[in-house]
């Protein structure tokens, strides 16, 4: 059971159909590729040379240990992973990335960044902190940095859907799905100049699951970045389908996860609160559930489109 809160007609029925197709084919599996929340302040110097000097200092592996010591004081769950800097003239954008246990982590990473900025002020007293967020993070805006580098949890999820299930449950064929995916999700999105939007409707499922489980729904922007791939396998009989989502931002502690209904939904999934055994395991599992649900949503909507049933089903079930 995956809880969804939505006003989108047919969404629950459609995702449910995708889940049924996955279930009848033996399930889906996910791999979590990366787990790190980011925050990027913008600081200014009098010259580009000084800004470049701080960039080199922050990116020098020899300084990583002392920076982590300062950063990680923000929480016992915060672990600095990397600092990547980008320069615009004499302004410097410092993208800090850290693991945050079971929290989505924006508060935690911001506190760690504040610690480092205070620490840097000792040796870089000419550094002017313009803003603790300089948009290179990048939170709640479409941005290539999240699509390429990832933000939050990066997950790939796959399933092999049996040909007979494609026919009986999804009412279409492997061949039609593969062709539609190529022309719509890949070529069509390329024609539109898409950024992370190489999918049919990942954001429908992401938003619905986020609202139900107390996530920040505004983060659906980058959390919905997704490329959906479809390929015929087993001599063209079955369908290999996958979703790759680099920026799923979820937590099972903090924020809206404590509200009664949302906490109940997290309980239903068995991921409520802090994981006792492995900090972060609940949030990571939730991210894979989001990806699995998106996989189901993609399968069902793509099938409705391939079979030409989208308008009919909306008229019937809305
Ligand atoms: P966010 O950083 O996502 O905005 P909050 O600051 O609201 O989250 O919540 C994180 C808080 O929860 C921190 O104070 C942290 O110490 C506490 N916490 C307790 N257990 C955990 C855990 N397993 N993982 C992460 N944070 C935890």
């Amino acid at each position: 059971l995956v809880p969804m809160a939505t006003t989108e007609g047919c969404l629950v029925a459609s995702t449910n159909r995708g889940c049924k197709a996955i279930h009848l084919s033996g399930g889906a599996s996910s791999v979590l590729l990366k787990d790190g929340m980011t925050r990027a302040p913008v600081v200014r110097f009098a010259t580009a040379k000084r800004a470049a000097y701080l960039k080199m200092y922050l990116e020098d592996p020899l300084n990583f240990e002392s920076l982590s010591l300062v950063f990680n004081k923000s929480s016992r769950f915060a672990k600095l992973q990397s600092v990547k800097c980008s320069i615009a003239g004499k302004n410097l954008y410092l993208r800090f990335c850290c693991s945050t246990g079971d929290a989505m982590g924006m508060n935690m990473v911001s506190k760690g960044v504040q610690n480092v900025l205070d620490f840097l002020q000792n040796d870089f007293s000419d550094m002017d902190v313009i803003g603790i967020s300089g948009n290179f993070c990048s939170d709640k805006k479409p941005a290539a940095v999240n699509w390429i580098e990832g933000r939050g949890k990066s997950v790939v999820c796959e399933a092999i859907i049996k040909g007979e299930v494609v026919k009986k449950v999804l009412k279409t064929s492997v061949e039609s799905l593969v062709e539609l995916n190529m022309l719509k999700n890949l070529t069509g999105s390329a024609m539109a100049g898409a950024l992370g939007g190489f999918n049919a409707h990942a954001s429908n499922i992401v938003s619905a699951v986020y609202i139900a489980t107390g996530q920040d729904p505004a983060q659906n922007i980058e959390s919905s970045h997704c490329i959906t791939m479809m390929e015929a396998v087993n001599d063209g009989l079955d369908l290999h389908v996958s979703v790759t989502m680099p920026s799923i931002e979820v937590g099972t502690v903090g924020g809206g996860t404590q509200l009664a209904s949302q906490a109940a939904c997290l309980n239903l999934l068995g991921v409520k609160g802090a994981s006792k055994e492995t900090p972060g395991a609940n949030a990571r599992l939730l991210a894979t559930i989001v990806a699995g649900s998106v996989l189901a949503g993609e399968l069902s909507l793509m099938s409705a489109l391939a079979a030409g049933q989208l308008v009919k089903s909306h008229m019937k079930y809305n």
Side-chain angles (χ1 to χ4, degrees):
L1 291 173
V2 178
M4 299 168 79
T6 181
T7 53
E8 170 81 20
C10 291
L11 187 63
V12 174
S14 177
T15 314
N16 198 51
R17 178 171 79 144
C19 287
K20 185 177 172 187
I22 294 171
H23 176 68
L24 289 174
S25 302
S29 63
S30 295
V31 182
L32 186 124
L33 306 162
K34 202 170 166 185
D35 179 11
M37 182 42 73
T38 61
R39 178 56 98 198
V42 50
V43 300
R44 184 169 59 192
F45 287 88
T47 61
K49 197 170 169 185
R50 282 293 288 164
Y53 186 76
L54 178 58
K55 173 176 161 65
M56 283 169 216
Y57 172 87
L58 288 171
E59 290 180 347
D60 186 340
L62 291 175
N63 297 324
F64 186 77
E65 202 180 324
S66 51
L67 286 172
S68 329
L69 274 177
V70 175
F71 185 99
N72 296 352
K73 277 186 192 143
S74 67
S75 159
R76 69 203 144 109
F77 299 100
K79 299 257 174 317
L80 185 65
Q81 294 173 344
S82 65
V83 193
K84 275 200 173 158
C85 302
S86 209
I87 273 195
K90 54 198 182 58
N91 307 294
L92 184 64
Y93 297 80
L94 334 166
R95 192 174 191 259
F96 290 84
C97 181
C98 76
S99 57
T100 57
D102 290 298
M104 179 273 288
M106 283 256 65
N107 278 328
M108 206 180 278
V109 65
S110 300
K111 282 184 211 161
V113 167
Q114 187 63 57
N115 290 348
V116 173
L117 291 174
D118 294 345
F119 166 78
L120 289 174
Q121 212 88 61
N122 298 328
D123 288 335
F124 295 85
S125 54
D126 54 337
M127 177 181 82
D128 190 5
V129 178
I130 304 295
I132 190 155
S133 168
N135 274 11
F136 190 51
C137 317
S138 185
D139 195 40
K140 304 178 182 174
K141 272 88 59 184
V145 74
N146 295 333
W147 173 236
I148 296 166
E149 296 281 337
R151 186 169 200 256
K153 278 86 175 133
S154 307
V155 178
V156 58
C157 179
E158 66 185 335
I160 293 175
I161 310 299
K162 292 188 186 122
E164 69 191 76
V165 173
V166 172
K167 206 159 124 201
K168 289 207 178 107
V169 178
L170 300 173
K171 315 272 194 263
T172 183
S173 67
V174 171
E175 199 186 353
S176 307
L177 277 173
V178 170
E179 183 182 49
L180 179 66
N181 192 65
M182 193 266 285
L183 289 177
K184 173 185 164 67
N185 288 341
L186 306 181
T187 314
S189 294
M191 295 301 290
L195 201 173
F198 299 91
N199 59 80
H201 69 151
S203 84
N204 260 337
I205 288 90
V206 168
S207 301
V209 176
Y210 273 30
I211 294 169
T213 59
Q215 310 305 313
D216 188 336
Q219 288 182 321
N220 86 79
I221 292 175
E222 59 271 32
S223 295
S224 301
H225 284 344
C226 169
I227 185 161
T228 300
M229 304 290 289
M230 292 189 188
E231 212 180 294
V233 291
N234 302 334
D235 294 326
L237 288 178
D238 304 327
L239 176 77
H240 183 277
V241 55
S242 66
V243 293
T244 308
M245 303 178 66
S247 342
I248 301 179
E249 297 147 329
V250 289
T252 57
V253 299
T257 64
Q258 294 157 50
L259 301 170
S261 306
Q262 284 76 358
C265 286
L266 289 168
N267 245 336
L268 181 84
L269 295 170
V271 296
K272 184 179 167 310
S275 162
K276 300 276 177 298
E277 301 84 47
T278 320
N282 281 349
R284 289 195 281 270
L285 182 54
L286 180 57
T288 64
I289 291 169
V290 170
S293 308
V294 167
L295 188 78
E298 289 292 278
L299 264 177
S300 185
L301 174 57
M302 290 296 286
S303 301
L305 287 169
Q309 285 174 341
L310 183 79
V311 175
K312 206 166 95 195
S313 63
H314 269 79
M315 291 304 115
K316 187 168 169 198
Y317 294 113
N318 261 359

